[in-house]
Amino acid sequence: MAYTPGVVIVGAGFGGLQCAKKLAGEDCQVTVLDQHNYHLFTPLLYQVASSLLNPSDIAAPTRTILHGRGNVRFRLAKVIGVDFERREVQTEEAGRVPYDYLVIAAGSTTNYFGSPSIEAHANGLKDLSEALALRNHILRCLETAARLNPVESAPWLTFVVAGGGPTGVEYAGALSELTGQVLPREYPELMDRQPRIVLIEGSENLLPPFAPDLQRSARLELEQKGVQVRLGVLVKGYDGDSVQLANGEELPAKTLVWAAGVKPNSLAAAVAAPRSARGRIEVDGGLRIRGRTREFAIGDIAGFEQDGRDVPMLSAPAMQQGRLAAANILASISGKRLRRFHYRDKGTMATVGKGAAVAQVGKLHLTGFAGWLAWLAIHLYYIIGFRNRLLVLAGWAWNYFRSDRPVRIITRAGPDG
Amino acid sequence: MAYTPGVVIVGAGFGGLQCAKKLAGEDCQVTVLDQHNYHLFTPLLYQVASSLLNPSDIAAPTRTILHGRGNVRFRLAKVIGVDFERREVQTEEAGRVPYDYLVIAAGSTTNYFGSPSIEAHANGLKDLSEALALRNHILRCLETAARLNPVESAPWLTFVVAGGGPTGVEYAGALSELTGQVLPREYPELMDRQPRIVLIEGSENLLPPFAPDLQRSARLELEQKGVQVRLGVLVKGYDGDSVQLANGEELPAKTLVWAAGVKPNSLAAAVAAPRSARGRIEVDGGLRIRGRTREFAIGDIAGFEQDGRDVPMLSAPAMQQGRLAAANILASISGKRLRRFHYRDKGTMATVGKGAAVAQVGKLHLTGFAGWLAWLAIHLYYIIGFRNRLLVLAGWAWNYFRSDRPVRIITRAGPDG
């Protein structure tokens, strides 16, 4: 009986899962390692943080996604290093895991750009626990404001969002819907007060990768929702009470949502591999870690240049790379030539709120309701799991018809949870 | 303009909410205080802890429930004491809140019967954070077992439930469904292993308040599901690795679910009022705290004897008391006679799993599928909020047809959440 090579995939995100699915049924034994037991549909995290969706609407157990694929196994483990020479992955709780081929798909985390004050006091929006913590925080701010006088309550009703990319734009829009829908109805104490949502972007435009007409449309939609958009302004620090801007200005606010950037997972720095300027693991044309033959890196953690530019940290390139890495591993096993990765940009979209989004697919630019329908269709199509699709749809339909944000409960697991 | 008396209700559980609703529209100003911003449908907590339901399926924001009632307000605050002389409630975060009439409806918490080892290592099942922590713990146990050999994994696959009341019976049944449905399908590593669920009850019967035929039926149903039922056995201690029984026996298990009893909220001991043997605040026939005229206590925290027995700590008497306390406050305000409380027992039920429950309504005893249908109808009817009712029904239907427990994600809010 021939030896069956073992493939270890680090990370069950968009890239890692595509790679695992592509290797299913092939002549190899695949082990997917992740520190969480679920795959997270990150593009909808902001809807958890704004009380529209339940965590399980956007998170499916990785075992559920992978089950029925006999040669693919899952193991809950946080990977802290890789020993290239011994071909072993080092994990925090499950010891060492040997491999014949390795795919590092560990993704990215919030980038605080080296500001300890912001890291300590701002709320990130990159993983499920950050989204839940942010939801709890916002709801607590509303409750605190409800028992204070107008002057005292102002900083509790001021929500600053740093970062004008899709996450910041989408969260600012969702937050304005949350406060706009819920406050007048359920917070009679706050009837005379106006919550303030400020979206701050360091460059001169929202949604930098989009075309200028879509950038303008998004800004207009946000401003119609009451969001104050401030461009060309940088956030310098935050002490939990007041946001310090680079121009010397101070914004008293109990909330700073940090959506200003992401950086590669810390595993990138823990492996002995060359890294790009942005800290991503450099890979060759076939997605192998530069200088290695059996180790691949894909997605946000991998640095791949195309047309002189870094492939963006998005789900689409990660999924495309996951499929190619799988194909190249199979090619390696059978001694064939590896294929070169080429990113096909199929378009980008961002929603600004109920019934409004911007979408850019090649030369096609959609805004407003048309953009929103396109956004809805694509997100529902891609979200993992049939049940989730149905429940997410039901939740959205409910929100759409009732203008409600029903998941407004402040809760957390216990101290051991 | 006449003075409008202020009524403060401590606790937004079954009793407090009924009281608030009954006072809505009356000539008084009602303030509901609770340490959580949601009302919890506690009878279904075990379904959150066994991955069937989302937290928000059984928890609705208290403001949502109360909105539209102009004279009823909500305030998020943990009450830590009452100053009867100054007629003020002391809160942790919102200072002092004055009242003309007070209703203490602060409920109950898990009773560890003075065992620090059990309190430190067992998982309670009385509030939402305990349920989430328990769900996370069970799922981690399965993941840990999946990477160990059969001998090492045994304690990770042994789940001991202490307490043969409705909570213990329902959780043991739900846990056997979770492991029975999910393990064979998604944990190929555990194919050769059998999880062990042990339900331990100190008395000689499960479900002590039920009739003997229903007790036997519940036991039979549980045993058919593979649950080991041990009666007349007491749990003495637990160090996280091994459950110590009073007969000297040790059960190696990484999980002890403590459903063996509840005790009145610690507020009962913090107020200057006489308490019953079980630590509940003693009330007179009109539900006023003994010796007081403007302060009432209802629900689990209130000690009321009827026919020589304590009224049980259940939602039904709490709701009945909530309505009577409201009526008696209105009677006091208008100088009328107070009415005497009388508990009407409309029946009890407990589910043993999908398609099996026991119900006792007067002389009517239902078991099996008939009992389950009755249980389903009543729980869906009583669960708060139309959306929740629909989503809970959808979740159950899904579980019923697919034998799935979809909410199997290990997650928690961040450190500040």
Side-chain angles (χ1 to χ4, degrees):
Chain A
M1 195 175 147
Y3 173 74
T4 307
V7 181
V8 167
I9 300 172
V10 179
F14 289 105
L17 279 191
Q18 284 295 319
C19 186
K21 286 180 176 177
K22 189 92 181 172
L23 291 171
E26 302 289 346
D27 194 22
C28 57
Q29 180 64 45
V30 181
T31 304
V32 177
L33 303 175
D34 198 289
Q35 61 177 315
H36 299 297
N37 78 328
Y38 51 83
H39 168 74
L40 185 65
F41 192 79
T42 44
L44 288 177
L45 257 186
Y46 76 97
Q47 294 288 28
V48 168
S50 59
S51 295
L52 181 66
L53 296 180
N54 270 301
S56 75
D57 293 335
I58 63 159
T62 306
R63 287 182 183 270
T64 304
I65 297 170
L66 295 176
H67 95 265
R69 296 174 171 86
N71 68 324
V72 182
R73 296 251 167 136
F74 172 75
R75 190 173 286 188
L76 184 74
K78 184 181 165 83
V79 173
I80 49 177
V82 180
D83 186 333
F84 286 148
E85 301 317 311
R86 302 176 65 164
R87 286 192 201 139
E88 282 177 346
V89 158
Q90 293 140 7
T91 72
E92 209 167 79
E93 52 282 271
R96 288 163 171 266
V97 181
Y99 66 80
D100 295 302
Y101 291 90
L102 174 70
V103 180
I104 300 182
S108 56
T109 58
T110 301
N111 189 353
Y112 293 98
F113 299 106
S115 166
S117 80
I118 294 174
E119 185 161 1
H121 297 104
N123 287 82
L125 188 44
K126 186 71 179 85
D127 64 31
L128 200 44
S129 62
E130 284 180 339
L132 287 172
L134 179 54
R135 180 188 78 186
N136 288 348
H137 174 79
I138 299 284
L139 296 172
R140 282 204 197 95
C141 285
L142 299 183
E143 293 298 333
T144 304
R147 63 174 166 78
L148 299 176
N149 67 41
V151 172
E152 291 172 334
S153 71
W156 298 96
L157 292 175
T158 304
F159 307 99
V160 179
V161 180
T167 302
V169 165
E170 291 179 326
Y171 192 63
L175 199 53
S176 79
E177 288 181 357
L178 170 64
T179 57
Q181 291 162 2
V182 169
L183 259 56
R185 196 171 57 214
E186 297 183 14
Y187 289 78
E189 308 93 322
L190 301 178
M191 210 133 73
D192 54 340
R193 302 174 218 175
Q194 191 56 46
R196 194 176 158 210
I197 299 166
V198 187
L199 177 62
I200 297 181
E201 161 63 30
S203 77
E204 291 302 330
N205 294 296
L206 292 182
L207 302 173
F210 285 77
D213 59 320
L214 296 179
Q215 294 176 340
R216 278 192 303 272
S217 167
R219 180 176 178 172
L220 205 70
E221 292 274 11
L222 281 177
E223 287 176 340
Q224 276 170 357
K225 286 170 169 292
V227 175
Q228 298 172 16
V229 178
R230 301 192 53 179
L231 303 173
V233 178
L234 282 168
V235 173
K236 212 179 75 181
Y238 183 52
D239 59 6
D241 292 315
S242 183
V243 180
Q244 287 97 50
L245 304 182
N247 62 12
E249 200 182 331
E250 300 245 338
L251 278 175
K254 292 289 184 180
T255 305
L256 174 62
V257 182
W258 192 252
V262 296
K263 62 179 179 186
N265 187 295
S266 59
L267 186 61
V271 299
R275 287 190 292 149
S276 73
R278 297 187 60 187
R280 301 167 87 175
I281 298 173
E282 284 190 12
V283 294
D284 65 18
L287 301 176
R288 291 178 300 196
I289 294 175
R290 206 168 280 288
R292 312 294 319 170
T293 53
R294 286 164 173 267
E295 290 88 4
F296 296 72
I298 60 172
D300 288 5
I301 204 169
F304 183 89
E305 274 202 10
Q306 183 168 309
D307 306 330
R309 286 174 52 197
D310 253 21
V311 164
M313 290 174 156
L314 293 170
S315 58
M319 293 168 85
Q320 293 175 22
Q321 290 182 341
R323 290 190 288 268
L324 188 81
N328 278 349
I329 285 171
L330 296 175
S332 287
I333 291 173
S334 50
K336 292 186 187 144
R337 260 180 93 108
L338 271 60
R339 274 170 46 213
R340 198 180 156 73
F341 178 69
H342 181 81
Y343 171 45
R344 277 179 198 79
D345 184 354
K346 291 182 182 163
T348 333
M349 39 184 46
T351 179
V352 190
K354 194 170 71 174
V358 293
Q360 176 172 342
V361 186
K363 287 187 180 167
L364 179 67
H365 293 184
L366 297 173
T367 60
F369 198 70
W372 187 73
L373 284 181
W375 176 86
L376 188 69
I378 289 196
H379 279 74
L380 283 178
Y381 180 77
Y382 274 112
I383 203 168
I384 304 265
F386 174 67
R387 170 184 185 269
N388 284 347
R389 205 138 53 209
L390 276 185
L391 281 187
V392 169
L393 186 61
W396 280 355
W398 187 260
N399 173 52
Y400 193 83
F401 290 116
R402 291 266 306 233
S403 292
D404 197 11
R405 298 243 153 197
V407 195
R408 283 175 292 109
I409 56 169
I410 305 174
T411 184
R412 60 177 297 182
D416 309 320
Chain B
M1 196 174 147
Y3 174 74
T4 306
V7 181
V8 167
I9 300 173
V10 179
F14 289 106
L17 278 191
Q18 284 295 319
C19 186
K21 286 181 178 178
K22 189 92 180 172
L23 291 171
E26 301 289 347
D27 194 21
C28 56
Q29 181 63 45
V30 181
T31 305
V32 177
L33 304 175
D34 198 289
Q35 61 177 313
H36 299 296
N37 78 329
Y38 52 83
H39 168 74
L40 185 65
F41 193 79
T42 44
L44 288 177
L45 258 186
Y46 76 99
Q47 293 288 27
V48 168
S50 59
S51 295
L52 181 66
L53 296 180
N54 269 301
S56 75
D57 293 335
I58 63 160
T62 305
R63 287 181 183 271
T64 304
I65 297 170
L66 296 176
H67 94 264
R69 296 174 172 86
N71 68 325
V72 183
R73 296 249 167 136
F74 172 75
R75 191 173 285 188
L76 184 74
K78 185 181 164 84
V79 173
I80 50 177
V82 179
D83 186 332
F84 287 149
E85 301 317 312
R86 303 176 65 164
R87 288 194 200 138
E88 281 178 347
V89 159
Q90 293 140 7
T91 72
E92 211 168 76
E93 52 281 270
R96 287 162 171 266
V97 181
Y99 66 80
D100 296 302
Y101 292 91
L102 175 69
V103 180
I104 300 182
S108 56
T109 58
T110 302
N111 189 353
Y112 293 99
F113 300 106
S115 166
S117 80
I118 295 173
E119 185 162 359
H121 297 104
N123 286 83
L125 189 43
K126 186 72 178 85
D127 65 30
L128 201 45
S129 61
E130 285 180 338
L132 287 171
L134 179 55
R135 179 189 79 187
N136 288 348
H137 174 80
I138 299 283
L139 296 172
R140 283 205 196 92
C141 284
L142 299 182
E143 292 298 333
T144 304
R147 63 174 164 81
L148 299 176
N149 67 43
V151 172
E152 290 172 334
S153 71
W156 297 95
L157 292 175
T158 303
F159 307 100
V160 180
V161 180
T167 303
V169 165
E170 290 179 326
Y171 191 64
L175 198 53
S176 78
E177 288 181 357
L178 171 63
T179 56
Q181 291 162 2
V182 170
L183 259 55
R185 196 171 56 214
E186 296 182 15
Y187 289 79
E189 307 93 322
L190 302 177
M191 211 132 71
D192 54 340
R193 301 174 218 174
Q194 191 56 46
R196 195 175 158 211
I197 298 165
V198 188
L199 177 62
I200 297 183
E201 161 63 30
S203 77
E204 291 303 330
N205 295 296
L206 291 182
L207 302 173
F210 284 77
D213 60 319
L214 296 180
Q215 295 176 338
R216 278 192 302 272
S217 168
R219 179 176 179 172
L220 205 69
E221 292 273 11
L222 282 177
E223 288 176 340
Q224 277 170 356
K225 286 170 168 293
V227 175
Q228 298 171 18
V229 178
R230 301 193 52 180
L231 303 173
V233 178
L234 282 169
V235 173
K236 213 178 74 182
Y238 183 52
D239 59 5
D241 291 316
S242 183
V243 180
Q244 287 97 50
L245 305 182
N247 62 11
E249 200 182 331
E250 300 246 339
L251 277 175
K254 292 288 183 182
T255 305
L256 173 61
V257 182
W258 192 252
V262 296
K263 63 178 179 187
N265 186 296
S266 59
L267 185 61
V271 298
R275 286 189 294 148
S276 73
R278 296 186 62 188
R280 301 166 87 174
I281 298 173
E282 284 190 11
V283 295
D284 65 17
L287 301 177
R288 291 179 299 197
I289 293 176
R290 206 169 281 287
R292 311 293 321 169
T293 54
R294 286 164 174 269
E295 289 88 3
F296 295 72
I298 60 172
D300 288 4
I301 203 170
F304 182 89
E305 274 202 10
Q306 183 168 307
D307 307 330
R309 285 174 51 196
D310 253 20
V311 164
M313 290 173 155
L314 293 171
S315 58
M319 292 167 87
Q320 294 175 21
Q321 291 181 342
R323 291 191 287 267
L324 189 81
N328 279 348
I329 286 172
L330 295 175
S332 287
I333 291 172
S334 51
K336 292 185 187 146
R337 260 180 92 107
L338 270 60
R339 274 169 49 213
R340 200 181 153 73
F341 179 69
H342 181 81
Y343 171 46
R344 278 180 197 79
D345 184 355
K346 290 181 181 161
T348 333
M349 38 184 47
T351 179
V352 191
K354 194 170 70 174
V358 294
Q360 177 173 340
V361 186
K363 285 185 179 167
L364 178 65
H365 293 185
L366 297 174
T367 60
F369 197 71
W372 187 74
L373 284 180
W375 175 87
L376 186 69
I378 289 194
H379 278 74
L380 283 178
Y381 179 78
Y382 274 111
I383 203 168
I384 305 264
F386 173 68
R387 172 184 185 267
N388 283 348
R389 206 137 56 211
L390 276 184
L391 281 189
V392 170
L393 185 63
W396 279 355
W398 187 259
N399 174 52
Y400 193 84
F401 291 115
R402 290 268 305 235
S403 292
D404 196 11
R405 298 243 153 198
V407 196
R408 283 175 293 108
I409 56 168
I410 304 174
T411 184
R412 60 177 298 185
D416 309 319

